Each structure stands twice: as C-alpha cells, then as structure tokens.
Amino acid sequence: MNTYDVEYLEFPITHLCSLHCDGCSAYANYALSNMVTLEQAEVWLTSWGRRVKPKFFRILGGEPFLNPMLPQIVILARAIFPQADIQVCTNGLNFDRHPEMPFLLRTLNVGLFLSVHSQDKKYLPKVRAAIDQMQAWHTNEGIRIGFGDNIHNWNRFYKGIGEDMLPFTDADPKASWEVCHSKHCVNLVDGRLWKCPQIGNLHIVGEKFGLGSKPEWAPYLAYKGLGLEATDKELVSFFTKSTEAVCGMCPSRLDNYRKDIQNVRFKMPGIERLEIASEHVESLENLPEVLREIGIVSEVPA
Ligand code: SF4
Ligand code: SF4
C-alpha cells in the first residue's frame, strides 16, 4: 500500500448545527444527532492517513464547535497530516464552547473559515460579532482566517424536505457534475471516503426519514463510497474520477434561491437556535451592501 497525495479532504465531525440551512449539504438542518467521537476520529484518521496525504484538510460539520472533542480532533489531525493546510469551517455562533481554540489554532497553524448564511437582521449581529472576534484573533495572535458567502449561489440538490425528499430526475449525471459546487469535496464519513457530502451523508438522513422505502433513492443509498480495503488502483481512480452514476441524483441546472436558516420543523433541545421572523429579512437588493459592510469576501473555495 502506498500513500497518495490528494488535493482535498473534508471531515464532518458532527451533524448538529446551530443554524438550520435548508439545503445544507451535510443535512445538518435536520437535527441529526451524529457526533464523531475522539476514538472514531483516531481510528479513521490514522488508517486513512496511511493511504492519503491531503494538501488541504477541512474539519467541518454541522457546526464543528458543537463537538466537545473539537480541540482533540484538531490536535489529532495536525499530528496525522503535519504538512497539510488544515482549516476548521464554522458558522461562528458557538465559539464560547471552546475557549482554548484560539491557542490551538495559533500553535498548530490551523486556519478558521467562517461562512455567512443569511442577511436577516437578527442573525447579522451575531455573525458580525463572530467576524469581529476572528479579526481580533488574526490581528493579535496571527491566526489565519477566511470568510465565505453562503448566501449567493446557494442551490437545491434534492427536491422536497425531510421525509418528502426526492432526488432530481434530470438523468444527466455528467451535466449535474459539471455544475456541482461539491464536485471536489471528498468526505470522510463513518470511516469511508465518499464522493461528496451530499452522497456521503445521505445514508444518515435516509435512516432518519426512512428514505430506503422510496425506490427513487435506492440507487443512491446503494452507493457505499470507498473503504480501507480498496486497492491503490481503486484509490487513485476514486480521486481522479469525475462524473459518477450517483451524480444523477443532483440537478443538471442550478436554481439559486434564498434559503431558510430557521429551525422550522426540527427541534433540537440544548442548542441555541435563532428564531427569525420573516419580517426581519432584508430584501435581496440590500444584500451586497450588507456583505461588504461586514467585510465578507465573495469567493468561496471550490
Ligand atoms: S451553518 Fe447551515 S450550511 Fe453550515 S452546517 Fe449548519 S445548517 Fe449546514
Ligand atoms: S453526487 Fe455528484 S453532482 Fe451530486 S453533489 Fe455529489 S459530486 Fe456533485
């Protein structure tokens, strides 16, 4: 077995989130309770660390700050991928859960990336406070930070919601892959590598909503990604493949829309949720000004 250089690997360490973004690629809007333990992270990262060396390794969720083991997982990731550009990707609303993180980010040279998800008036002060905090960490402690726009270019990749979810039926997987924002986002979920978060987390949301009983989902739930038993050849092929049959579940044309970030139907005890009434939502016309005002760059890494 050899170790292969790969460009990018994502590791979702929880499916809990303090936002509820309709269309979340990790299905974290559905209050899935999965939480990667330190023991799981150790086994999965150690074993995959012998097979792949990612240039860019992203720890995300759900909201990674809701995982009580985030600091230990960051330490582990740095030990296993000493050369990688490692980044924690957050919504910024739960920094108080891990006051030790700035120290770790600085000493382990791990970046922090915040995505802005909405322009509603109740959410913006909270995310702005997080942005100010990150800018202070950058200025005072040299922590690498980044910001992304998850408002524009937000697209649906399945139809319906919750138990009514259905895959697209455009029947053009190549076209779906070509327009896809997640086409290079290999995910490590349940100890296996998956083409993208949408397919990697499908079995988890499928279990919650009984999607296995719908024949439309059968070909997609049958996909199992790549396990450690894969040969070197299979591993290389997995990372170099473009379109796969599973891309057929996604739209072949993207439909930008304004997503809902509220907890509408899925309650989650113990997590602070933002309750935002529709009258607080800014008009879309004001959005570019709002983003500029809070200093958000418009580019999101591919
Ligand atoms: S902030 Fe929104 S997009 Fe990000 S993980 Fe949470 S629900 Fe998903
Ligand atoms: S299945 Fe294919 S098209 Fe759909 S999100 Fe994943 S990579 Fe993109």
Side-chain angles (χ1 to χ4, degrees), residues 113-133:
F113 186 89
L114 180 146
S115 302
V116 176
H117 290 278
S118 174
Q119 76 275 26
D120 70 62
K121 290 175 180 169
K122 200 166 175 190
Y123 161 83
L124 282 174
K126 289 178 185 273
V127 78
R128 181 175 208 144
I131 289 165
D132 289 347
Q133 176 68 81

Side-chain angles (χ1 to χ4, degrees), residues 1-4 50-51 227-235:
M1 296 279 180
N2 294 307
T3 310
Y4 286 93
R50 296 192 191 106
R51 307 293 308 277
L228 283 159
E229 70 283 357
T231 63
D232 285 353
K233 200 173 159 195
E234 286 166 338
L235 185 67

Side-chain angles (χ1 to χ4, degrees), residues 217-230:
W217 283 113
Y220 308 116
L221 287 169
Y223 174 94
K224 297 293 176 224
L226 199 78
L228 283 159
E229 70 283 357

Side-chain angles (χ1 to χ4, degrees), residues 117-184:
H117 290 278
S118 174
Q119 76 275 26
D120 70 62
K121 290 175 180 169
K122 200 166 175 190
Y123 161 83
L124 282 174
K126 289 178 185 273
V127 78
R128 181 175 208 144
I131 289 165
D132 289 347
Q133 176 68 81
M134 285 172 62
Q135 283 172 331
W137 287 336
H138 174 67
T139 306
N140 303 331
E141 308 192 41
I143 292 169
R144 294 186 292 117
I145 59 171
F147 301 107
D149 170 1
N150 266 5
I151 303 171
H152 296 99
N153 302 323
W154 187 264
N155 312 103
R156 288 191 176 88
F157 64 94
Y158 57 86
K159 299 179 197 170
I161 187 165
E163 57 196 21
D164 299 322
M165 291 166 66
L166 280 174
F168 278 82
T169 51
D170 298 4
D172 192 348
K174 187 167 183 294
S176 300
W177 183 84
E178 275 165 4
V179 297
C180 175
H181 295 313
S182 304
K183 60 183 158 198
H184 301 304

Side-chain angles (χ1 to χ4, degrees), residues 17 19 21 24 28 62 91 117 154:
C17 192
L19 287 180
C21 301
C24 170
N91 66 22
H117 290 278
W154 187 264

